[in-house]
Amino acid sequence: MKVVTSIAKMQELSRQTRGAGLCVGFVPTMGFLHEGHLELVRKAKALADVVVVSIFVNPTQFDRRDDFDTYPRDEKTDRALLEREGVDILFEPSAEEVYPEGADTCVNVPRLTHNLCGAHRPGHFDGVATVVSALFNMVRPDLAVFGEKDYQQLQLVRRMTRDLHFPVAIVPGPTVREADGLAMSSRNARLEPGHREQAPIINAALRAAAAAFLEGETGAARLLGIVREKLDSCKAIKLEYLELIDGESLEPVEVADQDSVIAVAAFMGAVRLIDNIIFARATAERRGNGRLDELERQGGDHDATISN
Ligand code: PAF
């Protein structure tokens, strides 16, 4: 695995790779890698000839300085994991190079970022959109893989890629879960042991709502009521938002259909957790073999299409 820190060097390697007729796959990360990231890497490897993973803890997407300062980092383990996955290039640019003195450009996708996480983390998605577009210009990939766990981020990246005409196919990677259903996240390591034990209730509550949808319930109030009732039974969970939304516009809907998603954010102590359930995926899984529970636990079968 080549480790590259210079942007010019990264651009040159990408130019050579593409010049040789090979496809460049890209997985952007902020490090502290877990199985969820590694699944995205595996997906990129299955689709591309050369895989680039970036590790860059992007300061502009943290709305709180202390969150940036305490964001978990483990460079040595990350490198070993990526080597083991057969990643070709690890790209670790410095903040000074990514944001040169006087950098003043901001990419903003307002309609997709005014609600959900965007309403609670001012500036967060401007930071994400800006750094992802900068990373696309540095890595120049043919395809890039983003996890469905950060559903709002995935949608904004799709929209930004389309609107700014980046020649990059955006590939979604299904959420990877712990054996008890908790969505994998770098933040899980910060949960107090008692909270860690209770946290899977978030996924269980979402699955209960999806099961009701699959049985014919479509009313937003009733579906969200199912989730809320379960979460309310856990005193440690402080709900930030819970919404039934259209999967593309991210606007709330009153009546659920195949395009709907339930998205949730909640605090357990100081740790903020997000999760979601995509009704189209739940339906496909139910049709596939009727074992929604099992598939949800495993992260589901993958949507292998390249779409942007
Ligand atoms: O999802 C993340 O880890 C980050 O938001 C990303 C896409 C790497 C941009 O910094």
Side-chain angles (χ1 to χ4, degrees):
M1 182 171 76
K2 280 197 179 76
V3 179
V4 176
T5 53
S6 138
I7 294 172
K9 175 85 183 154
M10 183 64 247
Q11 286 168 330
E12 176 54 19
L13 282 172
S14 184
R15 196 188 62 75
Q16 283 170 9
T17 307
R18 293 163 58 119
L22 299 174
C23 167
V24 177
F26 178 40
V27 182
T29 81
M30 298 207 299
F32 207 65
L33 305 175
H34 51 67
E35 196 52 32
H37 296 109
L38 301 181
E39 268 301 308
L40 303 180
V41 170
R42 288 171 201 138
K43 190 151 205 171
K45 274 194 76 75
L47 295 168
D49 302 303
V50 169
V51 170
V52 181
V53 174
S54 64
I55 295 182
F56 178 64
V57 184
N58 173 35
T60 67
Q61 71 186 72
F62 287 82
D63 46 317
R64 293 188 349 247
R65 177 74 212 191
D66 60 317
D67 200 18
F68 173 71
D69 289 340
T70 60
Y71 196 81
R73 292 158 169 92
D74 186 349
E75 213 174 291
K76 210 167 142 224
T77 308
D78 286 350
R79 282 192 189 196
L81 288 171
L82 296 175
E83 288 265 18
R84 211 177 60 198
E85 292 299 325
V87 165
D88 301 283
I89 300 174
L90 167 59
F91 179 45
E92 295 184 306
S94 68
E96 291 69 32
E97 230 203 324
V98 172
Y99 295 110
E101 186 63 32
D104 196 26
T105 303
C106 176
V107 180
N108 178 234
V109 189
R111 278 201 298 276
L112 286 183
T113 59
H114 70 94
N115 62 356
L116 307 172
C117 291
H120 298 275
R121 305 187 65 191
H124 167 67
F125 285 121
D126 289 356
V128 171
T130 304
V131 82
V132 170
S133 48
L135 286 166
F136 280 179
N137 282 327
M138 298 172 203
V139 175
R140 310 213 170 148
D142 296 290
L143 64 91
V145 190
F146 288 83
E148 282 176 351
K149 179 176 155 286
D150 296 301
Y151 193 81
Q152 191 169 17
Q153 169 172 286
L154 170 65
Q155 286 310 115
L156 104 84
V157 168
R158 280 177 160 146
R159 184 70 58 86
M160 175 198 88
T161 302
R162 188 201 69 177
D163 292 354
L164 297 183
H165 306 279
F166 281 108
V168 181
I170 304 303
V171 181
T175 303
V176 180
R177 298 183 181 280
E178 302 287 355
D180 59 12
L182 177 65
M184 287 196 184
S185 163
S186 307
R187 290 166 195 265
N188 293 351
R190 288 202 238 150
L191 285 167
E192 289 170 23
H195 292 166
R196 171 63 192 83
E197 246 171 64
Q198 294 170 306
I201 199 168
I202 298 174
N203 176 241
L206 292 170
R207 284 194 297 119
F213 171 73
L214 293 171
E215 296 308 320
E217 179 58 74
T218 58
R222 282 185 297 274
L223 290 168
L224 295 178
I226 292 170
V227 182
R228 192 167 285 116
E229 196 185 318
K230 278 203 182 294
L231 296 183
D232 283 351
S233 72
C234 177
K235 293 284 163 284
I237 289 186
K238 304 282 172 259
L239 203 56
E240 186 180 76
Y241 68 75
L242 169 65
E243 293 204 41
L244 176 75
I245 52 169
D246 173 71
E248 200 178 325
S249 71
L250 305 185
E251 289 300 324
V253 292
E254 284 305 316
V255 180
D257 62 21
Q258 287 300 322
D259 300 326
S260 304
V261 173
I262 297 183
V264 62
F267 277 92
M268 295 194 83
V271 182
R272 185 173 178 277
L273 300 174
I274 60 170
D275 204 348
N276 63 71
I277 196 148
I278 301 171
F279 284 5
R281 186 176 288 290
T283 306
E285 288 165 356
R286 167 68 64 92
R287 282 205 193 111
N289 60 10
R291 290 183 302 121
L292 173 65
D293 283 12
E294 182 61 19
L295 283 165
E296 281 287 338
R297 231 178 292 126
Q298 294 169 359
D301 194 8
H302 296 185
D303 169 4
T305 52
I306 297 177
S307 58
N308 57 1

Short mmCIF file of all heavy atoms in Angstrom, two decimals, residues 4 14 24 32 45 50 69 117 123 160 185-186 218 227-228 230 244 306:
data_model
loop_
_atom_site.label_atom_id
_atom_site.label_comp_id
_atom_site.label_asym_id
_atom_site.label_seq_id
_atom_site.Cartn_x
_atom_site.Cartn_y
_atom_site.Cartn_z
N VAL A 4 0.31 8.25 0.59
CA VAL A 4 0.53 9.52 -0.12
C VAL A 4 -0.01 10.66 0.73
O VAL A 4 -1.13 10.58 1.24
CB VAL A 4 -0.22 9.49 -1.48
CG1 VAL A 4 -0.09 10.81 -2.21
CG2 VAL A 4 0.28 8.34 -2.35
N SER A 14 -3.39 9.19 -9.81
CA SER A 14 -4.72 8.93 -10.35
C SER A 14 -4.70 9.10 -11.88
O SER A 14 -5.29 8.31 -12.62
CB SER A 14 -5.71 9.90 -9.71
OG SER A 14 -6.99 9.61 -10.14
N VAL A 24 -10.57 3.87 -10.94
CA VAL A 24 -10.16 4.27 -9.58
C VAL A 24 -11.40 4.32 -8.68
O VAL A 24 -12.35 5.05 -8.94
CB VAL A 24 -9.47 5.66 -9.59
CG1 VAL A 24 -9.11 6.09 -8.17
CG2 VAL A 24 -8.24 5.65 -10.49
N PHE A 32 -10.06 5.95 12.28
CA PHE A 32 -10.59 5.15 13.38
C PHE A 32 -11.54 4.10 12.78
O PHE A 32 -12.71 4.01 13.12
CB PHE A 32 -11.29 6.01 14.43
CG PHE A 32 -11.25 5.36 15.80
CD1 PHE A 32 -10.04 5.18 16.46
CD2 PHE A 32 -12.41 4.92 16.42
CE1 PHE A 32 -9.99 4.57 17.72
CE2 PHE A 32 -12.37 4.30 17.67
CZ PHE A 32 -11.16 4.13 18.32
N LYS A 45 -13.33 -2.32 -3.79
CA LYS A 45 -12.40 -3.29 -4.41
C LYS A 45 -13.11 -4.18 -5.42
O LYS A 45 -12.55 -4.56 -6.45
CB LYS A 45 -11.75 -4.16 -3.33
CG LYS A 45 -10.51 -3.52 -2.75
CD LYS A 45 -9.68 -4.50 -1.94
CE LYS A 45 -8.88 -5.45 -2.81
NZ LYS A 45 -7.70 -4.86 -3.45
N VAL A 50 -8.21 -0.03 -8.87
CA VAL A 50 -7.28 0.56 -7.89
C VAL A 50 -8.13 1.28 -6.84
O VAL A 50 -9.01 2.07 -7.18
CB VAL A 50 -6.33 1.55 -8.59
CG1 VAL A 50 -5.54 2.38 -7.59
CG2 VAL A 50 -5.38 0.78 -9.52
N ASP A 69 -11.41 17.94 18.62
CA ASP A 69 -10.22 17.60 19.41
C ASP A 69 -10.27 16.19 19.97
O ASP A 69 -9.24 15.52 20.06
CB ASP A 69 -10.05 18.59 20.58
CG ASP A 69 -9.65 19.96 20.08
OD1 ASP A 69 -9.13 20.06 18.94
OD2 ASP A 69 -9.85 20.95 20.82
N CYS A 117 -30.04 16.07 10.66
CA CYS A 117 -28.77 16.41 11.32
C CYS A 117 -28.36 17.86 11.05
O CYS A 117 -27.78 18.52 11.91
CB CYS A 117 -27.64 15.49 10.84
SG CYS A 117 -27.82 13.79 11.38
N GLY A 123 -23.49 24.21 10.00
CA GLY A 123 -22.24 24.24 9.23
C GLY A 123 -21.67 22.87 8.90
O GLY A 123 -20.79 22.75 8.05
N MET A 160 -24.84 16.84 -4.92
CA MET A 160 -23.70 17.70 -5.23
C MET A 160 -22.93 17.18 -6.44
O MET A 160 -22.54 17.94 -7.34
CB MET A 160 -22.78 17.76 -4.01
CG MET A 160 -21.51 18.51 -4.22
SD MET A 160 -20.33 18.08 -2.94
CE MET A 160 -19.55 16.66 -3.66
N SER A 185 -20.18 2.53 14.34
CA SER A 185 -19.78 3.94 14.28
C SER A 185 -18.53 4.12 15.12
O SER A 185 -18.37 3.45 16.16
CB SER A 185 -20.90 4.81 14.87
OG SER A 185 -20.41 6.09 15.18
N SER A 186 -17.67 5.04 14.70
CA SER A 186 -16.46 5.32 15.48
C SER A 186 -16.85 5.84 16.87
O SER A 186 -16.09 5.73 17.83
CB SER A 186 -15.62 6.38 14.78
OG SER A 186 -15.38 5.98 13.45
N THR A 218 -49.17 2.70 7.02
CA THR A 218 -48.47 3.75 6.27
C THR A 218 -48.53 5.12 6.95
O THR A 218 -47.87 6.05 6.50
CB THR A 218 -49.05 3.89 4.84
OG1 THR A 218 -50.44 4.18 4.96
CG2 THR A 218 -48.82 2.64 4.00
N VAL A 227 -41.78 3.72 17.02
CA VAL A 227 -40.36 3.95 17.34
C VAL A 227 -40.25 4.70 18.68
O VAL A 227 -39.49 4.31 19.58
CB VAL A 227 -39.65 4.76 16.23
CG1 VAL A 227 -38.17 4.94 16.55
CG2 VAL A 227 -39.82 4.09 14.87
N ARG A 228 -41.07 5.76 18.80
CA ARG A 228 -40.97 6.63 19.99
C ARG A 228 -41.27 5.83 21.26
O ARG A 228 -40.58 5.97 22.27
CB ARG A 228 -41.91 7.82 19.85
CG ARG A 228 -41.65 8.89 20.88
CD ARG A 228 -42.34 10.20 20.59
NE ARG A 228 -41.69 10.96 19.53
CZ ARG A 228 -42.25 11.26 18.36
NH1 ARG A 228 -43.46 10.84 18.07
NH2 ARG A 228 -41.59 11.98 17.47
N LYS A 230 -40.88 2.70 21.92
CA LYS A 230 -39.75 1.83 22.31
C LYS A 230 -38.61 2.65 22.89
O LYS A 230 -38.01 2.28 23.88
CB LYS A 230 -39.24 1.05 21.09
CG LYS A 230 -40.06 -0.18 20.77
CD LYS A 230 -39.21 -1.17 19.98
CE LYS A 230 -39.97 -2.41 19.59
NZ LYS A 230 -40.36 -3.25 20.73
N LEU A 244 -40.10 10.63 9.60
CA LEU A 244 -40.36 9.81 8.41
C LEU A 244 -40.19 10.76 7.22
O LEU A 244 -40.86 11.80 7.15
CB LEU A 244 -41.80 9.27 8.45
CG LEU A 244 -42.22 8.48 7.22
CD1 LEU A 244 -41.58 7.09 7.21
CD2 LEU A 244 -43.74 8.32 7.16
N ILE A 306 -24.41 1.03 -9.45
CA ILE A 306 -23.70 2.31 -9.33
C ILE A 306 -24.68 3.37 -9.73
O ILE A 306 -25.25 3.32 -10.81
CB ILE A 306 -22.49 2.33 -10.28
CG1 ILE A 306 -21.50 1.24 -9.87
CG2 ILE A 306 -21.83 3.69 -10.28
CD1 ILE A 306 -20.31 1.13 -10.77
#
